PDB file of all heavy atoms in Angstrom:
ATOM      1  N   GLY N1100       5.313  14.021   9.540  1.00  0.00           N
ATOM      2  CA  GLY N1100       6.446  13.992  10.479  1.00  0.00           C
ATOM      3  C   GLY N1100       7.476  12.946  10.095  1.00  0.00           C
ATOM      4  O   GLY N1100       8.247  12.485  10.935  1.00  0.00           O
ATOM      5  N   ALA N1102      10.204  13.123   8.641  1.00  0.00           N
ATOM      6  CA  ALA N1102      11.616  13.475   8.792  1.00  0.00           C
ATOM      7  C   ALA N1102      12.054  13.427  10.248  1.00  0.00           C
ATOM      8  O   ALA N1102      13.234  13.593  10.553  1.00  0.00           O
ATOM      9  CB  ALA N1102      11.867  14.878   8.235  1.00  0.00           C
ATOM     10  N   GLY N1103      11.099  13.213  11.161  1.00  0.00           N
ATOM     11  CA  GLY N1103      11.412  13.260  12.582  1.00  0.00           C
ATOM     12  C   GLY N1103      12.064  11.975  13.080  1.00  0.00           C
ATOM     13  O   GLY N1103      12.339  11.038  12.310  1.00  0.00           O
ATOM     14  N   PHE N1104      12.309  11.943  14.370  1.00  0.00           N
ATOM     15  CA  PHE N1104      12.979  10.809  15.012  1.00  0.00           C
ATOM     16  C   PHE N1104      12.196   9.506  14.794  1.00  0.00           C
ATOM     17  O   PHE N1104      12.688   8.563  14.153  1.00  0.00           O
ATOM     18  CB  PHE N1104      13.124  11.149  16.505  1.00  0.00           C
ATOM     19  CG  PHE N1104      13.401  10.000  17.413  1.00  0.00           C
ATOM     20  CD1 PHE N1104      14.395   9.061  17.115  1.00  0.00           C
ATOM     21  CD2 PHE N1104      12.681   9.859  18.599  1.00  0.00           C
ATOM     22  CE1 PHE N1104      14.657   8.001  17.988  1.00  0.00           C
ATOM     23  CE2 PHE N1104      12.944   8.811  19.460  1.00  0.00           C
ATOM     24  CZ  PHE N1104      13.924   7.879  19.155  1.00  0.00           C
ATOM     25  N   ILE N1105      10.964   9.463  15.254  1.00  0.00           N
ATOM     26  CA  ILE N1105      10.181   8.235  15.121  1.00  0.00           C
ATOM     27  C   ILE N1105       9.720   8.056  13.679  1.00  0.00           C
ATOM     28  O   ILE N1105       9.761   6.949  13.126  1.00  0.00           O
ATOM     29  CB  ILE N1105       8.981   8.248  16.099  1.00  0.00           C
ATOM     30  CG1 ILE N1105       9.487   8.334  17.544  1.00  0.00           C
ATOM     31  CG2 ILE N1105       8.114   7.001  15.903  1.00  0.00           C
ATOM     32  CD1 ILE N1105       8.401   8.572  18.577  1.00  0.00           C
ATOM     33  N   ASP N1124       6.621  16.624   5.933  1.00  0.00           N
ATOM     34  CA  ASP N1124       7.196  17.162   7.167  1.00  0.00           C
ATOM     35  C   ASP N1124       7.601  18.609   6.938  1.00  0.00           C
ATOM     36  O   ASP N1124       8.209  18.938   5.918  1.00  0.00           O
ATOM     37  CB  ASP N1124       8.425  16.323   7.570  1.00  0.00           C
ATOM     38  CG  ASP N1124       8.864  16.567   9.005  1.00  0.00           C
ATOM     39  OD1 ASP N1124       9.098  17.744   9.364  1.00  0.00           O
ATOM     40  OD2 ASP N1124       8.971  15.592   9.766  1.00  0.00           O
ATOM     41  N   ALA N1125       7.288  19.459   7.912  1.00  0.00           N
ATOM     42  CA  ALA N1125       7.627  20.885   7.797  1.00  0.00           C
ATOM     43  C   ALA N1125       9.080  21.156   8.179  1.00  0.00           C
ATOM     44  O   ALA N1125       9.537  22.287   8.050  1.00  0.00           O
ATOM     45  CB  ALA N1125       6.683  21.707   8.672  1.00  0.00           C
ATOM     46  N   VAL N1126       9.778  20.143   8.667  1.00  0.00           N
ATOM     47  CA  VAL N1126      11.172  20.297   9.111  1.00  0.00           C
ATOM     48  C   VAL N1126      11.286  21.504  10.056  1.00  0.00           C
ATOM     49  O   VAL N1126      12.027  22.457   9.802  1.00  0.00           O
ATOM     50  CB  VAL N1126      12.166  20.406   7.928  1.00  0.00           C
ATOM     51  CG1 VAL N1126      13.603  20.202   8.410  1.00  0.00           C
ATOM     52  CG2 VAL N1126      11.853  19.380   6.852  1.00  0.00           C
ATOM     53  N   LEU N1127      10.545  21.435  11.144  1.00  0.00           N
ATOM     54  CA  LEU N1127      10.527  22.528  12.119  1.00  0.00           C
ATOM     55  C   LEU N1127      11.915  22.773  12.693  1.00  0.00           C
ATOM     56  O   LEU N1127      12.632  21.829  13.017  1.00  0.00           O
ATOM     57  CB  LEU N1127       9.615  22.171  13.297  1.00  0.00           C
ATOM     58  CG  LEU N1127       8.115  22.133  13.103  1.00  0.00           C
ATOM     59  CD1 LEU N1127       7.445  22.056  14.464  1.00  0.00           C
ATOM     60  CD2 LEU N1127       7.623  23.324  12.313  1.00  0.00           C
ATOM     61  N   ALA N1130      12.767  21.088  15.954  1.00  0.00           N
ATOM     62  CA  ALA N1130      13.054  19.649  15.944  1.00  0.00           C
ATOM     63  C   ALA N1130      14.295  19.309  15.124  1.00  0.00           C
ATOM     64  O   ALA N1130      14.840  18.212  15.256  1.00  0.00           O
ATOM     65  CB  ALA N1130      11.857  18.882  15.386  1.00  0.00           C
ATOM     66  N   HIS N1131      14.741  20.235  14.297  1.00  0.00           N
ATOM     67  CA  HIS N1131      15.852  19.941  13.392  1.00  0.00           C
ATOM     68  C   HIS N1131      16.899  21.046  13.498  1.00  0.00           C
ATOM     69  O   HIS N1131      16.593  22.208  13.221  1.00  0.00           O
ATOM     70  CB  HIS N1131      15.373  19.848  11.937  1.00  0.00           C
ATOM     71  CG  HIS N1131      14.375  18.763  11.703  1.00  0.00           C
ATOM     72  ND1 HIS N1131      14.729  17.514  11.254  1.00  0.00           N
ATOM     73  CD2 HIS N1131      13.029  18.716  11.908  1.00  0.00           C
ATOM     74  CE1 HIS N1131      13.646  16.756  11.164  1.00  0.00           C
ATOM     75  NE2 HIS N1131      12.602  17.461  11.564  1.00  0.00           N
ATOM     76  N   GLY N1147       6.402  20.135   3.821  1.00  0.00           N
ATOM     77  CA  GLY N1147       5.129  20.840   3.897  1.00  0.00           C
ATOM     78  C   GLY N1147       4.583  20.776   5.303  1.00  0.00           C
ATOM     79  O   GLY N1147       5.028  19.962   6.120  1.00  0.00           O
ATOM     80  N   ASP N1148       3.612  21.652   5.565  1.00  0.00           N
ATOM     81  CA  ASP N1148       3.073  21.792   6.907  1.00  0.00           C
ATOM     82  C   ASP N1148       1.683  21.154   6.969  1.00  0.00           C
ATOM     83  O   ASP N1148       0.873  21.374   6.060  1.00  0.00           O
ATOM     84  CB  ASP N1148       2.992  23.289   7.243  1.00  0.00           C
ATOM     85  CG  ASP N1148       2.818  23.533   8.727  1.00  0.00           C
ATOM     86  OD1 ASP N1148       1.787  23.093   9.282  1.00  0.00           O
ATOM     87  OD2 ASP N1148       3.708  24.147   9.325  1.00  0.00           O
ATOM     88  N   VAL N1149       1.400  20.412   8.018  1.00  0.00           N
ATOM     89  CA  VAL N1149       0.068  19.788   8.119  1.00  0.00           C
ATOM     90  C   VAL N1149      -1.048  20.815   8.303  1.00  0.00           C
ATOM     91  O   VAL N1149      -2.213  20.493   8.129  1.00  0.00           O
ATOM     92  CB  VAL N1149      -0.023  18.726   9.251  1.00  0.00           C
ATOM     93  CG1 VAL N1149       0.690  17.450   8.860  1.00  0.00           C
ATOM     94  CG2 VAL N1149       0.478  19.261  10.567  1.00  0.00           C
ATOM     95  N   ARG N1150      -0.678  22.050   8.628  1.00  0.00           N
ATOM     96  CA  ARG N1150      -1.714  23.084   8.740  1.00  0.00           C
ATOM     97  C   ARG N1150      -2.092  23.659   7.381  1.00  0.00           C
ATOM     98  O   ARG N1150      -3.003  24.477   7.289  1.00  0.00           O
ATOM     99  CB  ARG N1150      -1.216  24.221   9.655  1.00  0.00           C
ATOM    100  CG  ARG N1150      -1.059  23.789  11.101  1.00  0.00           C
ATOM    101  CD  ARG N1150      -0.266  24.800  11.906  1.00  0.00           C
ATOM    102  NE  ARG N1150       1.133  24.828  11.486  1.00  0.00           N
ATOM    103  CZ  ARG N1150       2.074  25.565  12.080  1.00  0.00           C
ATOM    104  NH1 ARG N1150       1.762  26.337  13.094  1.00  0.00           N
ATOM    105  NH2 ARG N1150       3.320  25.527  11.643  1.00  0.00           N
ATOM    106  N   GLN N1168       2.433  11.257  12.404  1.00  0.00           N
ATOM    107  CA  GLN N1168       3.495  11.396  13.412  1.00  0.00           C
ATOM    108  C   GLN N1168       3.836  12.860  13.680  1.00  0.00           C
ATOM    109  O   GLN N1168       4.477  13.162  14.686  1.00  0.00           O
ATOM    110  CB  GLN N1168       4.781  10.701  12.915  1.00  0.00           C
ATOM    111  CG  GLN N1168       4.656   9.231  12.625  1.00  0.00           C
ATOM    112  CD  GLN N1168       4.611   8.393  13.884  1.00  0.00           C
ATOM    113  OE1 GLN N1168       5.176   8.757  14.911  1.00  0.00           O
ATOM    114  NE2 GLN N1168       3.924   7.276  13.816  1.00  0.00           N
ATOM    115  N   ALA N1169       3.470  13.753  12.764  1.00  0.00           N
ATOM    116  CA  ALA N1169       3.909  15.149  12.905  1.00  0.00           C
ATOM    117  C   ALA N1169       3.331  15.759  14.173  1.00  0.00           C
ATOM    118  O   ALA N1169       2.135  15.676  14.424  1.00  0.00           O
ATOM    119  CB  ALA N1169       3.452  15.967  11.697  1.00  0.00           C
ATOM    120  N   ALA N1170       4.181  16.366  14.961  1.00  0.00           N
ATOM    121  CA  ALA N1170       3.738  17.100  16.148  1.00  0.00           C
ATOM    122  C   ALA N1170       4.911  17.878  16.695  1.00  0.00           C
ATOM    123  O   ALA N1170       6.068  17.506  16.494  1.00  0.00           O
ATOM    124  CB  ALA N1170       3.208  16.154  17.221  1.00  0.00           C
ATOM    125  N   VAL N1172       6.798  18.392  20.000  1.00  0.00           N
ATOM    126  CA  VAL N1172       6.909  17.464  21.128  1.00  0.00           C
ATOM    127  C   VAL N1172       7.583  18.152  22.326  1.00  0.00           C
ATOM    128  O   VAL N1172       8.097  19.262  22.213  1.00  0.00           O
ATOM    129  CB  VAL N1172       7.707  16.191  20.729  1.00  0.00           C
ATOM    130  CG1 VAL N1172       7.052  15.527  19.535  1.00  0.00           C
ATOM    131  CG2 VAL N1172       9.154  16.520  20.421  1.00  0.00           C
ATOM    132  N   CYS N1187       0.283  23.342  15.579  1.00  0.00           N
ATOM    133  CA  CYS N1187       0.868  22.174  14.895  1.00  0.00           C
ATOM    134  C   CYS N1187       0.073  20.914  15.195  1.00  0.00           C
ATOM    135  O   CYS N1187      -0.205  20.114  14.301  1.00  0.00           O
ATOM    136  CB  CYS N1187       2.311  21.954  15.346  1.00  0.00           C
ATOM    137  SG  CYS N1187       3.445  23.130  14.608  1.00  0.00           S
ATOM    138  N   ALA N1210       0.182   8.798  16.105  1.00  0.00           N
ATOM    139  CA  ALA N1210       1.206   8.726  17.152  1.00  0.00           C
ATOM    140  C   ALA N1210       0.614   9.329  18.412  1.00  0.00           C
ATOM    141  O   ALA N1210       0.583  10.543  18.584  1.00  0.00           O
ATOM    142  CB  ALA N1210       2.449   9.495  16.736  1.00  0.00           C
ATOM    143  N   GLY N1211       0.086   8.493  19.278  1.00  0.00           N
ATOM    144  CA  GLY N1211      -0.458   8.965  20.548  1.00  0.00           C
ATOM    145  C   GLY N1211       0.643   9.010  21.589  1.00  0.00           C
ATOM    146  O   GLY N1211       1.815   8.779  21.290  1.00  0.00           O
ATOM    147  N   SER N1212       0.265   9.319  22.819  1.00  0.00           N
ATOM    148  CA  SER N1212       1.294   9.415  23.860  1.00  0.00           C
ATOM    149  C   SER N1212       0.734   9.063  25.221  1.00  0.00           C
ATOM    150  O   SER N1212      -0.427   9.351  25.534  1.00  0.00           O
ATOM    151  CB  SER N1212       1.857  10.830  23.910  1.00  0.00           C
ATOM    152  OG  SER N1212       2.750  10.946  25.011  1.00  0.00           O
ATOM    153  N   TYR N1272       1.450  20.322  25.988  1.00  0.00           N
ATOM    154  CA  TYR N1272       1.714  19.255  25.018  1.00  0.00           C
ATOM    155  C   TYR N1272       0.745  18.085  25.231  1.00  0.00           C
ATOM    156  O   TYR N1272       0.145  17.570  24.274  1.00  0.00           O
ATOM    157  CB  TYR N1272       3.172  18.793  25.164  1.00  0.00           C
ATOM    158  CG  TYR N1272       3.503  17.510  24.445  1.00  0.00           C
ATOM    159  CD1 TYR N1272       3.454  17.432  23.055  1.00  0.00           C
ATOM    160  CD2 TYR N1272       3.868  16.367  25.161  1.00  0.00           C
ATOM    161  CE1 TYR N1272       3.766  16.251  22.401  1.00  0.00           C
ATOM    162  CE2 TYR N1272       4.180  15.181  24.514  1.00  0.00           C
ATOM    163  CZ  TYR N1272       4.130  15.126  23.136  1.00  0.00           C
ATOM    164  OH  TYR N1272       4.428  13.964  22.480  1.00  0.00           O
ATOM    165  N   LYS N1276      -2.027  16.387  22.677  1.00  0.00           N
ATOM    166  CA  LYS N1276      -2.006  14.974  22.254  1.00  0.00           C
ATOM    167  C   LYS N1276      -3.368  14.333  22.519  1.00  0.00           C
ATOM    168  O   LYS N1276      -3.828  13.493  21.738  1.00  0.00           O
ATOM    169  CB  LYS N1276      -0.897  14.196  22.977  1.00  0.00           C
ATOM    170  CG  LYS N1276       0.521  14.603  22.619  1.00  0.00           C
ATOM    171  CD  LYS N1276       0.813  14.529  21.119  1.00  0.00           C
ATOM    172  CE  LYS N1276       0.938  13.103  20.581  1.00  0.00           C
ATOM    173  NZ  LYS N1276       1.246  13.129  19.107  1.00  0.00           N
ATOM    174  N   TYR N1299       2.534   5.883  22.611  1.00  0.00           N
ATOM    175  CA  TYR N1299       3.939   5.574  22.871  1.00  0.00           C
ATOM    176  C   TYR N1299       4.300   5.987  24.284  1.00  0.00           C
ATOM    177  O   TYR N1299       3.888   7.047  24.760  1.00  0.00           O
ATOM    178  CB  TYR N1299       4.863   6.363  21.936  1.00  0.00           C
ATOM    179  CG  TYR N1299       4.603   6.283  20.465  1.00  0.00           C
ATOM    180  CD1 TYR N1299       5.046   7.320  19.644  1.00  0.00           C
ATOM    181  CD2 TYR N1299       3.970   5.196  19.875  1.00  0.00           C
ATOM    182  CE1 TYR N1299       4.858   7.286  18.278  1.00  0.00           C
ATOM    183  CE2 TYR N1299       3.779   5.163  18.495  1.00  0.00           C
ATOM    184  CZ  TYR N1299       4.220   6.210  17.706  1.00  0.00           C
ATOM    185  OH  TYR N1299       4.036   6.201  16.351  1.00  0.00           O
ATOM    186  N   HIS N1300       5.130   5.202  24.918  1.00  0.00           N
ATOM    187  CA  HIS N1300       5.708   5.609  26.193  1.00  0.00           C
ATOM    188  C   HIS N1300       7.037   6.329  25.886  1.00  0.00           C
ATOM    189  O   HIS N1300       7.073   7.075  24.917  1.00  0.00           O
ATOM    190  CB  HIS N1300       5.724   4.417  27.152  1.00  0.00           C
ATOM    191  CG  HIS N1300       4.332   4.239  27.722  1.00  0.00           C
ATOM    192  ND1 HIS N1300       4.041   4.441  29.036  1.00  0.00           N
ATOM    193  CD2 HIS N1300       3.145   3.963  27.115  1.00  0.00           C
ATOM    194  CE1 HIS N1300       2.728   4.286  29.213  1.00  0.00           C
ATOM    195  NE2 HIS N1300       2.173   3.993  28.066  1.00  0.00           N
ATOM    196  N   VAL N1302      10.072   6.842  24.116  1.00  0.00           N
ATOM    197  CA  VAL N1302      10.758   6.248  22.972  1.00  0.00           C
ATOM    198  C   VAL N1302      12.211   6.738  22.949  1.00  0.00           C
ATOM    199  O   VAL N1302      12.471   7.930  23.158  1.00  0.00           O
ATOM    200  CB  VAL N1302      10.054   6.638  21.663  1.00  0.00           C
ATOM    201  CG1 VAL N1302      10.653   5.874  20.489  1.00  0.00           C
ATOM    202  CG2 VAL N1302       8.552   6.385  21.761  1.00  0.00           C
ATOM    203  N   ARG N1443      20.466  13.503  16.288  1.00  0.00           N
ATOM    204  CA  ARG N1443      20.187  14.274  15.089  1.00  0.00           C
ATOM    205  C   ARG N1443      20.449  15.745  15.341  1.00  0.00           C
ATOM    206  O   ARG N1443      20.220  16.231  16.431  1.00  0.00           O
ATOM    207  CB  ARG N1443      18.726  14.072  14.721  1.00  0.00           C
ATOM    208  CG  ARG N1443      18.412  14.385  13.311  1.00  0.00           C
ATOM    209  CD  ARG N1443      16.960  14.087  13.037  1.00  0.00           C
ATOM    210  NE  ARG N1443      16.114  15.051  13.726  1.00  0.00           N
ATOM    211  CZ  ARG N1443      15.001  14.748  14.362  1.00  0.00           C
ATOM    212  NH1 ARG N1443      14.608  13.512  14.448  1.00  0.00           N
ATOM    213  NH2 ARG N1443      14.274  15.677  14.932  1.00  0.00           N
TER     214      ARG N1443
HETATM  215  N1  NAD L1099       9.667  10.611  21.393  1.00  0.00           N
HETATM  216  C1  NAD L1099       8.801  10.123  22.273  1.00  0.00           C
HETATM  217  O1  NAD L1099       9.210   9.569  23.319  1.00  0.00           O
HETATM  218  C2  NAD L1099       7.317  10.183  22.011  1.00  0.00           C
HETATM  219  C3  NAD L1099       6.471   9.657  23.000  1.00  0.00           C
HETATM  220  C4  NAD L1099       5.104   9.692  22.789  1.00  0.00           C
HETATM  221  C5  NAD L1099       4.598  10.213  21.611  1.00  0.00           C
HETATM  222  N2  NAD L1099       5.424  10.728  20.662  1.00  0.00           N
HETATM  223  C6  NAD L1099       4.824  11.254  19.433  1.00  0.00           C
HETATM  224  O2  NAD L1099       5.487  10.687  18.321  1.00  0.00           O
HETATM  225  C7  NAD L1099       5.458  11.600  17.218  1.00  0.00           C
HETATM  226  C8  NAD L1099       6.863  11.784  16.663  1.00  0.00           C
HETATM  227  O3  NAD L1099       7.679  12.354  17.689  1.00  0.00           O
HETATM  228  P1  NAD L1099       9.269  12.386  17.609  1.00  0.00           P
HETATM  229  O4  NAD L1099       9.790  12.044  18.946  1.00  0.00           O
HETATM  230  O5  NAD L1099       9.729  11.633  16.435  1.00  0.00           O
HETATM  231  O6  NAD L1099       9.506  13.967  17.423  1.00  0.00           O
HETATM  232  P2  NAD L1099      10.324  14.750  16.271  1.00  0.00           P
HETATM  233  O7  NAD L1099      10.293  16.195  16.672  1.00  0.00           O
HETATM  234  O8  NAD L1099      11.640  14.122  16.019  1.00  0.00           O
HETATM  235  O9  NAD L1099       9.416  14.523  14.980  1.00  0.00           O
HETATM  236  C9  NAD L1099       8.254  15.246  14.737  1.00  0.00           C
HETATM  237  C10 NAD L1099       8.312  15.725  13.300  1.00  0.00           C
HETATM  238  O10 NAD L1099       7.078  16.416  13.010  1.00  0.00           O
HETATM  239  C11 NAD L1099       7.404  17.545  12.233  1.00  0.00           C
HETATM  240  N3  NAD L1099       6.331  18.537  12.408  1.00  0.00           N
HETATM  241  C12 NAD L1099       5.994  19.197  13.533  1.00  0.00           C
HETATM  242  N4  NAD L1099       4.993  20.039  13.291  1.00  0.00           N
HETATM  243  C13 NAD L1099       4.676  19.906  11.986  1.00  0.00           C
HETATM  244  C14 NAD L1099       3.724  20.525  11.139  1.00  0.00           C
HETATM  245  N5  NAD L1099       2.906  21.496  11.593  1.00  0.00           N
HETATM  246  N6  NAD L1099       3.651  20.125   9.843  1.00  0.00           N
HETATM  247  C15 NAD L1099       4.486  19.157   9.368  1.00  0.00           C
HETATM  248  N7  NAD L1099       5.434  18.573  10.116  1.00  0.00           N
HETATM  249  C16 NAD L1099       5.520  18.943  11.415  1.00  0.00           C
HETATM  250  C17 NAD L1099       8.755  18.024  12.742  1.00  0.00           C
HETATM  251  O11 NAD L1099       9.447  18.807  11.780  1.00  0.00           O
HETATM  252  C18 NAD L1099       9.455  16.713  13.042  1.00  0.00           C
HETATM  253  O12 NAD L1099      10.240  16.277  11.948  1.00  0.00           O
HETATM  254  C19 NAD L1099       4.816  12.877  17.756  1.00  0.00           C
HETATM  255  O13 NAD L1099       3.459  12.884  17.387  1.00  0.00           O
HETATM  256  C20 NAD L1099       4.957  12.744  19.254  1.00  0.00           C
HETATM  257  O14 NAD L1099       3.936  13.447  19.945  1.00  0.00           O
HETATM  258  C21 NAD L1099       6.782  10.729  20.847  1.00  0.00           C
END
Side-chain angles (χ1 to χ4, degrees):
F1104 162 48
I1105 299 171
D1124 195 306
V1126 195
L1127 289 192
H1131 299 265
D1148 196 298
V1149 285
R1150 292 166 291 184
Q1168 301 285 331
V1172 304
C1187 284
S1212 174
Y1272 167 65
K1276 293 304 287 181
Y1299 307 156
H1300 281 247
V1302 187
R1443 200 177 70 222

